């Protein structure tokens, strides 16, 4: 075998065996801080691991303006904000890889205005959450642990979100 073949084999094995990051159920949710649509910082640490806030969980949804399934899912999340808020669950949506101009334009068109709206313009937070497709929804308990994850579009999304959010109330 020639040296070039050996080196090529080495690099193939090295890159093919590198583990890809995926957040799993029961993992600790990565903490983050992002600006919201009112130019104030949202700190996840203010809501998880802190008993005094009364927040029992976070529904964290990553979306993008070009994502058709996201446009179907976001109005459902918007319709659940008031009901979930009464139960102590916050809905937080994150524009993945987009700035507020694009995010707000799309949300205005589909009439989504109730969740906490954040922008992950450089996709750094999404990377920590293993986002590799959209929509991507993570259910985080008050203990800071991931209780469930929805990757991609699902039929009956409202029913599924209600069921998975119910796990947040059992902390």
């Amino acid at each position: 075998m020639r040296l070039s073949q050996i080196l090529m084999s080495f690099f193939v094995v090295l890159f093919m065996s590198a583990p890809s990051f995926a957040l799993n159920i029961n993992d600790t949710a990565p903490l983050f801080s992002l600006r919201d649509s009112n130019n104030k910082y949202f700190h996840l640490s203010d809501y998880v691991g802190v008993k005094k806030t009364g927040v029992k969980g976070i529904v964290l949804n990553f979306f993008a303006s070009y994502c058709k399934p996201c446009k179907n899912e976001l109005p459902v999340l918007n319709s659940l904000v008031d009901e979930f808020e009464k139960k102590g669950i916050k809905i937080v949506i994150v524009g993945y890889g987009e700035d507020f101009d694009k995010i707000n334009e799309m949300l205005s068109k589909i009439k989504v205005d109730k969740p906490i709206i954040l922008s992950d313009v450089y996709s750094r937070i999404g990377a920590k959450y293993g986002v590799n497709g959209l929509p991507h929804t993570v259910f985080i308990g008050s203990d800071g642990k991931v209780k469930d994850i929805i990757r991609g579009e699902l039929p009956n999304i409202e029913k599924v979100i209600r069921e998975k959010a119910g796990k947040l109330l059992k902390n």
Side-chain angles (χ1 to χ4, degrees):
M1 240 166 115
R2 295 186 355 224
L3 180 59
S4 63
Q5 291 173 318
I6 293 171
L7 286 174
M8 182 60 85
S9 297
F10 172 76
F11 285 115
V12 167
V13 170
L14 178 69
F15 290 113
M16 296 301 280
S17 64
S20 62
F21 176 77
L23 191 65
N24 294 303
I25 294 171
N26 294 322
D27 286 351
T28 298
L31 296 178
F32 66 88
S33 296
L34 286 173
R35 288 191 191 270
D36 68 15
S37 55
N38 296 316
N39 206 28
K40 294 180 182 172
Y41 273 100
F42 172 90
H43 306 280
L44 183 62
S45 61
D46 289 346
Y47 300 97
V48 298
V50 180
K51 297 295 180 192
K52 64 183 175 187
T53 63
V55 173
K56 296 179 180 173
I58 302 283
V59 177
L60 181 66
N61 175 270
F62 292 88
F63 72 94
S65 64
Y66 56 82
C67 169
K68 186 172 178 3
C70 299
K71 291 177 186 177
N72 296 333
E73 188 170 291
L74 288 169
V76 172
L77 287 169
N78 194 65
S79 72
L80 295 171
V81 169
D82 295 333
E83 174 188 337
F84 282 18
E85 189 79 27
K86 289 176 187 170
K87 296 176 181 178
I89 299 171
K90 289 213 172 285
I91 296 179
V92 179
I93 61 175
V94 181
Y96 181 70
E98 295 185 321
D99 62 26
F100 279 115
D101 290 339
K102 281 195 181 275
I103 292 169
N104 290 334
E105 180 182 335
M106 186 266 283
L107 294 177
S108 177
K109 285 181 184 174
I110 62 173
K111 296 178 177 38
V112 171
D113 60 355
K114 292 183 179 182
I116 296 170
I117 303 165
L118 307 174
S119 172
D120 182 15
V121 72
Y122 300 110
S123 305
R124 291 180 186 137
I125 306 308
K128 290 180 180 183
Y129 278 82
V131 174
N132 60 12
L134 296 170
H136 184 96
T137 306
V138 180
F139 298 80
I140 305 168
S142 62
D143 61 356
K145 300 285 186 183
V146 174
K147 302 302 180 190
D148 223 319
I149 302 171
I150 300 173
R151 293 178 176 95
E153 182 179 27
L154 296 176
N156 301 318
I157 192 65
E158 182 175 351
K159 179 182 176 197
V160 174
I161 289 171
R162 285 179 187 279
E163 288 172 4
K164 293 183 182 296
K167 292 180 182 181
L168 300 176
L169 301 173
K170 296 177 181 173
N171 279 339

